[in-house]
Amino acid sequence: NEKIEVATLLSAASSQISFATTITDTATITHSLATKDVIIQLYDVTTDETVYADVERASVNTSTITFASTPTNSVRVLVQKIG
């Protein structure tokens, strides 16, 4: 038996169901969650406002985020596996 901290356990579990990164323009991200069943949310890192873009689930491990015009600020991409 081995003692494990709850925070360590939660961190390990979270890494299997979520992914986050920051982008500055249209980009393909690799989330490696092995499914197209993901929710993707975007927000401006300066204003914390939701950002809207076209999102394509290109494969079970990647998604492409496309903006109509280049965002003024960096954009945080949050990906969560569903199911």
Side-chain angles (χ1 to χ4, degrees):
N1 291 337
E2 183 177 331
K3 181 179 177 181
I4 188 168
E5 297 293 325
V6 172
T8 303
L9 182 61
L10 290 174
S11 177
S14 179
S15 69
Q16 300 300 311
I17 62 169
S18 64
F19 172 82
T21 191
T22 302
I23 60 176
T24 56
D25 201 352
T26 294
T28 297
I29 60 161
T30 302
H31 52 71
S32 301
L33 295 174
T35 183
K36 288 187 176 185
D37 292 343
V38 294
I39 292 176
I40 299 175
Q41 184 175 18
L42 312 169
Y43 75 91
D44 183 303
V45 298
T46 303
T47 65
D48 295 328
E49 293 179 0
T50 298
V51 174
Y52 297 96
D54 290 329
V55 176
E56 176 192 355
R57 288 156 181 85
S59 76
V60 296
N61 291 312
T62 64
S63 294
T64 301
I65 315 298
T66 306
F67 299 100
S69 60
T70 302
T72 304
N73 303 314
S74 294
V75 174
R76 192 74 173 152
V77 180
L78 309 174
V79 184
Q80 185 171 21
K81 183 177 181 177
I82 303 301

